[in-house]
Amino acid sequence: MDFGLKNRLSRIIPAKTGKTVMLAVDHGYFQGPTTGLKDIKKSITPLIPHANCLFVTRGILRNSVDPRIDTPLCLRVSGGPSILGELSNEDITTSMEEALRLNAAGVGMSIFVGAANEDRTIANLGRLVNEAERYGMPVLAITAVGKEMARDARYLGRACRIAAEIGAHIVKTYYCDDFEKVVEGCPVPIVIAGGKKLPEREALQMTENAIKAGASGVDMGRNIFQSDSPVGMIKAVRAIVHKGASVDEAFEIYSSAKK
Ligand code: R5P
């Protein structure tokens, strides 16, 4: 691996623990104003110092994030359809030049395995990796977004493996039963998305299960920013991911912050 690529990757997944807590706040790119992110600057500013990496669009970055932060950035570079349309109709919307200008440590896009335009999204991933490799820019591939996807180990394992084979350097997917099988079949680090808001203890349990099954961390959004204590939740997730805290210990961190 080239120095630049390796260096950027280690900013996203710090070598100290080999794990990461990415904060996903890109939801508006297809959902519009999302619960918990309506006033995005107010929502994310207190969370940023607790994240290893911020997963964000360029619009939010320019308008709502202080450029003096030292948290690394991973830039969402795909888009196209809104939540009202066919989600798999995505294309690349942000150039590599723009990612470099914004000092991104990585770029991310979705692939839609099994959906109407799976072939186009997978080919888009290939093209993005071709360009990214030229500049030493890691690519995060996001799999299994979409209502009708069966989120079991067979489907997620297939989607993650395809993403890695096409050249993704990190894969983001959902947690499922038998998650170790998904990890086993994927030669690059996997981080889990949190998915829809769960009660805090359940979200922490899911985090612990994923880490124990071999995940390299989380790229979590709603279960943090929609919590009644977003800072408490991100600290609790961090404790599990980086310190091997139990769910009870992590829940205590969340509860104390809430008080
Ligand atoms: C979804 O398309 C986005 O990539 C989100 O970043 C991802 O789903 C993680 O957010 P959440 O934890 O809310 O699912």
Side-chain angles (χ1 to χ4, degrees):
M1 205 185 273
D2 183 59
F3 178 92
L5 187 54
K6 209 169 177 177
N7 184 264
R8 285 192 175 96
L9 254 183
S10 75
R11 293 177 62 213
I12 300 173
I13 306 178
K16 197 170 171 195
T17 61
K19 299 211 165 38
T20 186
V21 174
M22 300 175 70
L23 176 66
V25 291
D26 60 319
H27 304 61
Y29 92 97
F30 73 112
Q31 292 186 3
T34 305
T35 305
L37 289 183
K38 285 187 177 139
D39 182 342
I40 192 158
K41 190 171 186 175
K42 199 171 156 200
S43 304
I44 68 177
T45 302
L47 298 174
I48 291 173
H50 304 284
N52 292 119
C53 182
L54 185 64
F55 189 62
V56 70
T57 59
R58 64 171 155 182
I60 292 307
L61 205 52
R62 286 217 168 87
N63 294 302
S64 307
V65 179
D66 184 337
R68 293 167 297 184
I69 59 165
D70 49 21
T71 305
L73 308 163
C74 187
L75 201 62
R76 154 73 69 174
V77 296
S78 66
S82 79
I83 198 162
L84 307 175
E86 167 52 49
L87 287 182
S88 70
N89 212 6
E90 278 200 1
D91 224 320
I92 305 293
T93 52
T94 304
S95 68
M96 196 56 59
E97 186 188 347
E98 176 81 315
L100 291 163
R101 184 182 300 122
L102 292 167
N103 198 27
V107 292
M109 63 162 288
S110 297
I111 60 167
F112 292 84
V113 174
N117 301 301
E118 70 164 11
D119 48 351
R120 212 178 81 205
T121 61
I122 292 171
N124 282 343
L125 174 62
R127 274 190 288 276
L128 185 66
V129 171
N130 289 342
E131 220 193 337
E133 290 276 357
R134 223 184 286 157
Y135 300 100
M137 181 71 77
V139 174
L140 167 75
I142 299 140
T143 70
V145 174
K147 290 185 206 113
E148 64 291 339
M149 302 303 171
R151 290 181 183 162
D152 57 21
R154 191 153 174 250
Y155 170 75
L156 296 179
R158 177 177 288 141
C160 290
R161 177 59 171 264
I162 290 170
E165 297 257 357
I166 299 297
H169 307 97
I170 312 176
V171 176
K172 166 161 74 166
T173 195
Y174 293 91
Y175 178 73
C176 65
D177 289 341
D178 298 324
F179 196 70
E180 54 283 345
K181 290 189 185 150
V182 179
V183 174
E184 187 185 62
C186 181
V188 300
I190 298 186
V191 292
I192 61 153
K196 282 192 182 145
K197 172 77 177 69
L198 300 167
E200 277 71 10
R201 184 179 279 278
E202 282 177 39
L204 295 171
Q205 186 66 63
M206 177 176 69
T207 304
E208 185 191 58
N209 294 348
I211 295 297
K212 283 190 170 157
S216 296
V218 301
D219 186 12
M220 195 174 270
R222 287 163 287 180
N223 278 292
I224 292 173
F225 61 70
Q226 290 178 356
S227 169
D228 52 10
S229 174
V231 170
M233 241 342 238
I234 196 167
K235 283 183 173 173
V237 169
R238 270 194 85 104
I240 293 174
V241 171
H242 287 302
K243 295 189 176 149
S246 67
V247 172
D248 283 343
E249 288 164 341
F251 191 75
E252 184 48 40
I253 293 172
Y254 151 75
S255 304
S256 321
K258 190 176 148 186
K259 277 181 213 150

mmCIF file of all heavy atoms in Angstrom, residues 85-121:
data_model
loop_
_atom_site.group_PDB
_atom_site.id
_atom_site.type_symbol
_atom_site.label_atom_id
_atom_site.label_comp_id
_atom_site.label_asym_id
_atom_site.label_seq_id
_atom_site.Cartn_x
_atom_site.Cartn_y
_atom_site.Cartn_z
ATOM 1 N N GLY A 85 -37.359 8.651 -4.492
ATOM 2 C CA GLY A 85 -37.095 7.999 -5.782
ATOM 3 C C GLY A 85 -36.472 6.624 -5.617
ATOM 4 O O GLY A 85 -36.515 6.025 -4.547
ATOM 5 N N GLU A 86 -35.880 6.117 -6.711
ATOM 6 C CA GLU A 86 -35.210 4.814 -6.693
ATOM 7 C C GLU A 86 -33.781 5.032 -6.168
ATOM 8 O O GLU A 86 -32.927 5.600 -6.858
ATOM 9 C CB GLU A 86 -35.208 4.246 -8.128
ATOM 10 C CG GLU A 86 -34.307 3.049 -8.387
ATOM 11 C CD GLU A 86 -34.506 1.903 -7.395
ATOM 12 O OE1 GLU A 86 -35.649 1.496 -7.157
ATOM 13 O OE2 GLU A 86 -33.483 1.436 -6.843
ATOM 14 N N LEU A 87 -33.539 4.566 -4.949
ATOM 15 C CA LEU A 87 -32.276 4.896 -4.279
ATOM 16 C C LEU A 87 -31.048 4.403 -5.036
ATOM 17 O O LEU A 87 -29.982 5.014 -4.982
ATOM 18 C CB LEU A 87 -32.264 4.324 -2.855
ATOM 19 C CG LEU A 87 -33.164 5.024 -1.831
ATOM 20 C CD1 LEU A 87 -33.011 4.384 -0.472
ATOM 21 C CD2 LEU A 87 -32.856 6.507 -1.752
ATOM 22 N N SER A 88 -31.207 3.291 -5.763
ATOM 23 C CA SER A 88 -30.028 2.729 -6.421
ATOM 24 C C SER A 88 -29.620 3.519 -7.669
ATOM 25 O O SER A 88 -28.642 3.177 -8.333
ATOM 26 C CB SER A 88 -30.277 1.270 -6.808
ATOM 27 O OG SER A 88 -31.204 1.178 -7.861
ATOM 28 N N ASN A 89 -30.334 4.578 -7.946
ATOM 29 C CA ASN A 89 -30.035 5.378 -9.141
ATOM 30 C C ASN A 89 -28.908 6.378 -8.887
ATOM 31 O O ASN A 89 -28.877 7.451 -9.475
ATOM 32 C CB ASN A 89 -31.316 6.115 -9.538
ATOM 33 C CG ASN A 89 -31.417 6.310 -11.025
ATOM 34 O OD1 ASN A 89 -30.594 5.804 -11.784
ATOM 35 N ND2 ASN A 89 -32.411 7.061 -11.453
ATOM 36 N N GLU A 90 -27.979 6.011 -8.015
ATOM 37 C CA GLU A 90 -26.930 6.966 -7.615
ATOM 38 C C GLU A 90 -25.795 7.078 -8.619
ATOM 39 O O GLU A 90 -25.515 6.144 -9.371
ATOM 40 C CB GLU A 90 -26.320 6.536 -6.262
ATOM 41 C CG GLU A 90 -27.134 6.980 -5.087
ATOM 42 C CD GLU A 90 -26.352 6.999 -3.779
ATOM 43 O OE1 GLU A 90 -25.149 6.690 -3.756
ATOM 44 O OE2 GLU A 90 -26.975 7.350 -2.768
ATOM 45 N N ASP A 91 -25.156 8.221 -8.554
ATOM 46 C CA ASP A 91 -23.957 8.469 -9.360
ATOM 47 C C ASP A 91 -22.899 9.115 -8.467
ATOM 48 O O ASP A 91 -23.189 9.428 -7.319
ATOM 49 C CB ASP A 91 -24.323 9.415 -10.511
ATOM 50 C CG ASP A 91 -23.700 8.928 -11.805
ATOM 51 O OD1 ASP A 91 -22.530 8.479 -11.755
ATOM 52 O OD2 ASP A 91 -24.363 8.999 -12.848
ATOM 53 N N ILE A 92 -21.723 9.341 -9.023
ATOM 54 C CA ILE A 92 -20.707 10.077 -8.254
ATOM 55 C C ILE A 92 -21.008 11.566 -8.413
ATOM 56 O O ILE A 92 -21.150 12.052 -9.537
ATOM 57 C CB ILE A 92 -19.286 9.775 -8.785
ATOM 58 C CG1 ILE A 92 -19.009 8.273 -8.796
ATOM 59 C CG2 ILE A 92 -18.231 10.517 -7.963
ATOM 60 C CD1 ILE A 92 -18.925 7.633 -7.449
ATOM 61 N N THR A 93 -21.101 12.277 -7.286
ATOM 62 C CA THR A 93 -21.500 13.687 -7.339
ATOM 63 C C THR A 93 -20.368 14.642 -6.954
ATOM 64 O O THR A 93 -20.492 15.844 -7.146
ATOM 65 C CB THR A 93 -22.675 13.943 -6.364
ATOM 66 O OG1 THR A 93 -22.293 13.431 -5.077
ATOM 67 C CG2 THR A 93 -23.937 13.250 -6.827
ATOM 68 N N THR A 94 -19.318 14.114 -6.376
ATOM 69 C CA THR A 94 -18.243 14.990 -5.874
ATOM 70 C C THR A 94 -16.908 14.467 -6.394
ATOM 71 O O THR A 94 -16.619 13.266 -6.287
ATOM 72 C CB THR A 94 -18.249 14.998 -4.322
ATOM 73 O OG1 THR A 94 -19.551 15.384 -3.883
ATOM 74 C CG2 THR A 94 -17.234 15.960 -3.755
ATOM 75 N N SER A 95 -16.117 15.363 -6.959
ATOM 76 C CA SER A 95 -14.876 14.928 -7.628
ATOM 77 C C SER A 95 -13.747 14.650 -6.634
ATOM 78 O O SER A 95 -13.766 15.112 -5.494
ATOM 79 C CB SER A 95 -14.417 16.021 -8.601
ATOM 80 O OG SER A 95 -14.002 17.150 -7.858
ATOM 81 N N MET A 96 -12.748 13.937 -7.113
ATOM 82 C CA MET A 96 -11.569 13.647 -6.296
ATOM 83 C C MET A 96 -10.817 14.953 -5.984
ATOM 84 O O MET A 96 -10.283 15.132 -4.891
ATOM 85 C CB MET A 96 -10.672 12.664 -7.060
ATOM 86 C CG MET A 96 -9.636 11.999 -6.217
ATOM 87 S SD MET A 96 -10.306 11.114 -4.787
ATOM 88 C CE MET A 96 -11.389 9.936 -5.572
ATOM 89 N N GLU A 97 -10.802 15.860 -6.972
ATOM 90 C CA GLU A 97 -10.135 17.153 -6.764
ATOM 91 C C GLU A 97 -10.774 17.880 -5.576
ATOM 92 O O GLU A 97 -10.091 18.451 -4.726
ATOM 93 C CB GLU A 97 -10.278 17.990 -8.038
ATOM 94 C CG GLU A 97 -9.502 19.281 -7.992
ATOM 95 C CD GLU A 97 -9.806 20.178 -9.175
ATOM 96 O OE1 GLU A 97 -10.422 19.721 -10.153
ATOM 97 O OE2 GLU A 97 -9.416 21.352 -9.098
ATOM 98 N N GLU A 98 -12.108 17.821 -5.522
ATOM 99 C CA GLU A 98 -12.845 18.461 -4.421
ATOM 100 C C GLU A 98 -12.504 17.785 -3.079
ATOM 101 O O GLU A 98 -12.291 18.452 -2.067
ATOM 102 C CB GLU A 98 -14.344 18.356 -4.714
ATOM 103 C CG GLU A 98 -15.238 18.898 -3.624
ATOM 104 C CD GLU A 98 -15.404 20.406 -3.635
ATOM 105 O OE1 GLU A 98 -14.388 21.111 -3.781
ATOM 106 O OE2 GLU A 98 -16.549 20.860 -3.469
ATOM 107 N N ALA A 99 -12.418 16.454 -3.098
ATOM 108 C CA ALA A 99 -12.081 15.729 -1.862
ATOM 109 C C ALA A 99 -10.701 16.154 -1.374
ATOM 110 O O ALA A 99 -10.482 16.360 -0.173
ATOM 111 C CB ALA A 99 -12.143 14.224 -2.102
ATOM 112 N N LEU A 100 -9.767 16.317 -2.299
ATOM 113 C CA LEU A 100 -8.413 16.736 -1.918
ATOM 114 C C LEU A 100 -8.428 18.177 -1.403
ATOM 115 O O LEU A 100 -7.787 18.501 -0.405
ATOM 116 C CB LEU A 100 -7.468 16.591 -3.111
ATOM 117 C CG LEU A 100 -7.183 15.139 -3.521
ATOM 118 C CD1 LEU A 100 -6.600 15.059 -4.922
ATOM 119 C CD2 LEU A 100 -6.253 14.455 -2.523
ATOM 120 N N ARG A 101 -9.214 19.024 -2.091
ATOM 121 C CA ARG A 101 -9.304 20.437 -1.687
ATOM 122 C C ARG A 101 -9.851 20.550 -0.261
ATOM 123 O O ARG A 101 -9.436 21.400 0.520
ATOM 124 C CB ARG A 101 -10.220 21.171 -2.666
ATOM 125 C CG ARG A 101 -10.330 22.661 -2.431
ATOM 126 C CD ARG A 101 -11.307 23.318 -3.417
ATOM 127 N NE ARG A 101 -10.885 23.126 -4.792
ATOM 128 C CZ ARG A 101 -11.612 22.538 -5.748
ATOM 129 N NH1 ARG A 101 -12.821 22.083 -5.502
ATOM 130 N NH2 ARG A 101 -11.144 22.398 -6.972
ATOM 131 N N LEU A 102 -10.798 19.661 0.073
ATOM 132 C CA LEU A 102 -11.429 19.693 1.395
ATOM 133 C C LEU A 102 -10.605 18.941 2.439
ATOM 134 O O LEU A 102 -11.016 18.799 3.578
ATOM 135 C CB LEU A 102 -12.848 19.107 1.314
ATOM 136 C CG LEU A 102 -13.838 19.964 0.523
ATOM 137 C CD1 LEU A 102 -15.111 19.183 0.226
ATOM 138 C CD2 LEU A 102 -14.175 21.243 1.255
ATOM 139 N N ASN A 103 -9.454 18.458 2.025
ATOM 140 C CA ASN A 103 -8.535 17.742 2.928
ATOM 141 C C ASN A 103 -9.163 16.477 3.503
ATOM 142 O O ASN A 103 -8.988 16.157 4.687
ATOM 143 C CB ASN A 103 -8.041 18.661 4.057
ATOM 144 C CG ASN A 103 -6.797 18.104 4.731
ATOM 145 O OD1 ASN A 103 -6.041 17.365 4.111
ATOM 146 N ND2 ASN A 103 -6.602 18.428 5.993
ATOM 147 N N ALA A 104 -9.920 15.757 2.650
ATOM 148 C CA ALA A 104 -10.562 14.520 3.111
ATOM 149 C C ALA A 104 -9.513 13.440 3.351
ATOM 150 O O ALA A 104 -8.526 13.337 2.625
ATOM 151 C CB ALA A 104 -11.572 14.036 2.074
ATOM 152 N N ALA A 105 -9.782 12.634 4.378
ATOM 153 C CA ALA A 105 -8.923 11.466 4.635
ATOM 154 C C ALA A 105 -9.477 10.245 3.907
ATOM 155 O O ALA A 105 -8.832 9.194 3.867
ATOM 156 C CB ALA A 105 -8.850 11.192 6.129
ATOM 157 N N GLY A 106 -10.676 10.376 3.356
ATOM 158 C CA GLY A 106 -11.277 9.268 2.620
ATOM 159 C C GLY A 106 -12.532 9.746 1.912
ATOM 160 O O GLY A 106 -13.030 10.850 2.194
ATOM 161 N N VAL A 107 -13.009 8.922 0.990
ATOM 162 C CA VAL A 107 -14.276 9.223 0.305
ATOM 163 C C VAL A 107 -15.180 8.000 0.443
ATOM 164 O O VAL A 107 -14.703 6.871 0.547
ATOM 165 C CB VAL A 107 -14.065 9.581 -1.187
ATOM 166 C CG1 VAL A 107 -13.336 10.908 -1.343
ATOM 167 C CG2 VAL A 107 -13.326 8.475 -1.947
ATOM 168 N N GLY A 108 -16.492 8.240 0.425
ATOM 169 C CA GLY A 108 -17.423 7.127 0.586
ATOM 170 C C GLY A 108 -18.574 7.214 -0.393
ATOM 171 O O GLY A 108 -19.024 8.308 -0.748
ATOM 172 N N MET A 109 -19.033 6.055 -0.846
ATOM 173 C CA MET A 109 -20.196 5.991 -1.741
ATOM 174 C C MET A 109 -20.968 4.701 -1.489
ATOM 175 O O MET A 109 -20.436 3.747 -0.923
ATOM 176 C CB MET A 109 -19.761 6.045 -3.205
ATOM 177 C CG MET A 109 -18.904 4.886 -3.639
ATOM 178 S SD MET A 109 -18.839 4.698 -5.441
ATOM 179 C CE MET A 109 -20.481 4.090 -5.814
ATOM 180 N N SER A 110 -22.221 4.685 -1.922
ATOM 181 C CA SER A 110 -23.060 3.500 -1.732
ATOM 182 C C SER A 110 -23.043 2.611 -2.955
ATOM 183 O O SER A 110 -22.970 3.100 -4.094
ATOM 184 C CB SER A 110 -24.514 3.918 -1.467
ATOM 185 O OG SER A 110 -24.594 4.652 -0.278
ATOM 186 N N ILE A 111 -23.122 1.301 -2.701
ATOM 187 C CA ILE A 111 -23.443 0.373 -3.781
ATOM 188 C C ILE A 111 -24.749 -0.317 -3.384
ATOM 189 O O ILE A 111 -25.046 -0.463 -2.196
ATOM 190 C CB ILE A 111 -22.327 -0.663 -4.068
ATOM 191 C CG1 ILE A 111 -22.027 -1.544 -2.844
ATOM 192 C CG2 ILE A 111 -21.069 0.025 -4.567
ATOM 193 C CD1 ILE A 111 -21.163 -2.765 -3.174
ATOM 194 N N PHE A 112 -25.527 -0.721 -4.380
ATOM 195 C CA PHE A 112 -26.856 -1.271 -4.117
ATOM 196 C C PHE A 112 -26.957 -2.667 -4.713
ATOM 197 O O PHE A 112 -27.548 -2.868 -5.783
ATOM 198 C CB PHE A 112 -27.910 -0.320 -4.697
ATOM 199 C CG PHE A 112 -27.990 0.995 -3.966
ATOM 200 C CD1 PHE A 112 -27.110 2.034 -4.279
ATOM 201 C CD2 PHE A 112 -28.900 1.196 -2.937
ATOM 202 C CE1 PHE A 112 -27.159 3.244 -3.595
ATOM 203 C CE2 PHE A 112 -28.952 2.404 -2.243
ATOM 204 C CZ PHE A 112 -28.086 3.420 -2.575
ATOM 205 N N VAL A 113 -26.359 -3.620 -4.027
ATOM 206 C CA VAL A 113 -26.364 -5.009 -4.504
ATOM 207 C C VAL A 113 -27.798 -5.553 -4.443
ATOM 208 O O VAL A 113 -28.465 -5.450 -3.417
ATOM 209 C CB VAL A 113 -25.405 -5.867 -3.646
ATOM 210 C CG1 VAL A 113 -25.492 -7.340 -4.025
ATOM 211 C CG2 VAL A 113 -23.975 -5.350 -3.784
ATOM 212 N N GLY A 114 -28.248 -6.083 -5.578
ATOM 213 C CA GLY A 114 -29.598 -6.670 -5.633
ATOM 214 C C GLY A 114 -30.680 -5.678 -5.991
ATOM 215 O O GLY A 114 -31.836 -6.059 -6.131
ATOM 216 N N ALA A 115 -30.328 -4.407 -6.159
ATOM 217 C CA ALA A 115 -31.340 -3.394 -6.492
ATOM 218 C C ALA A 115 -31.331 -3.124 -7.997
ATOM 219 O O ALA A 115 -30.474 -3.639 -8.731
ATOM 220 C CB ALA A 115 -31.053 -2.122 -5.708
ATOM 221 N N ALA A 116 -32.258 -2.304 -8.433
ATOM 222 C CA ALA A 116 -32.456 -2.067 -9.872
ATOM 223 C C ALA A 116 -31.157 -1.692 -10.596
ATOM 224 O O ALA A 116 -30.888 -2.196 -11.685
ATOM 225 C CB ALA A 116 -33.498 -0.974 -10.049
ATOM 226 N N ASN A 117 -30.370 -0.824 -9.995
ATOM 227 C CA ASN A 117 -29.162 -0.334 -10.692
ATOM 228 C C ASN A 117 -27.877 -0.828 -10.042
ATOM 229 O O ASN A 117 -26.882 -0.106 -9.993
ATOM 230 C CB ASN A 117 -29.166 1.198 -10.712
ATOM 231 C CG ASN A 117 -30.394 1.727 -11.419
ATOM 232 O OD1 ASN A 117 -30.623 1.422 -12.585
ATOM 233 N ND2 ASN A 117 -31.198 2.490 -10.715
ATOM 234 N N GLU A 118 -27.902 -2.075 -9.566
ATOM 235 C CA GLU A 118 -26.705 -2.568 -8.858
ATOM 236 C C GLU A 118 -25.467 -2.477 -9.743
ATOM 237 O O GLU A 118 -24.398 -2.089 -9.297
ATOM 238 C CB GLU A 118 -26.886 -3.999 -8.343
ATOM 239 C CG GLU A 118 -26.918 -5.066 -9.410
ATOM 240 C CD GLU A 118 -26.714 -6.490 -8.866
ATOM 241 O OE1 GLU A 118 -26.751 -6.713 -7.649
ATOM 242 O OE2 GLU A 118 -26.517 -7.375 -9.715
ATOM 243 N N ASP A 119 -25.613 -2.844 -11.024
ATOM 244 C CA ASP A 119 -24.444 -2.878 -11.917
ATOM 245 C C ASP A 119 -23.809 -1.499 -12.048
ATOM 246 O O ASP A 119 -22.590 -1.348 -12.001
ATOM 247 C CB ASP A 119 -24.811 -3.461 -13.293
ATOM 248 C CG ASP A 119 -26.068 -2.855 -13.886
ATOM 249 O OD1 ASP A 119 -26.772 -2.100 -13.177
ATOM 250 O OD2 ASP A 119 -26.343 -3.129 -15.064
ATOM 251 N N ARG A 120 -24.675 -0.475 -12.164
ATOM 252 C CA ARG A 120 -24.121 0.872 -12.325
ATOM 253 C C ARG A 120 -23.410 1.338 -11.060
ATOM 254 O O ARG A 120 -22.337 1.934 -11.109
ATOM 255 C CB ARG A 120 -25.239 1.850 -12.682
ATOM 256 C CG ARG A 120 -24.729 2.948 -13.576
ATOM 257 C CD ARG A 120 -25.827 3.876 -13.973
ATOM 258 N NE ARG A 120 -26.071 4.835 -12.913
ATOM 259 C CZ ARG A 120 -27.237 5.441 -12.744
ATOM 260 N NH1 ARG A 120 -28.248 5.169 -13.509
ATOM 261 N NH2 ARG A 120 -27.366 6.327 -11.787
ATOM 262 N N THR A 121 -24.000 1.013 -9.899
ATOM 263 C CA THR A 121 -23.367 1.494 -8.659
ATOM 264 C C THR A 121 -22.051 0.757 -8.401
ATOM 265 O O THR A 121 -21.092 1.348 -7.906
ATOM 266 C CB THR A 121 -24.318 1.372 -7.438
ATOM 267 O OG1 THR A 121 -24.679 0.002 -7.226
ATOM 268 C CG2 THR A 121 -25.566 2.194 -7.632
#
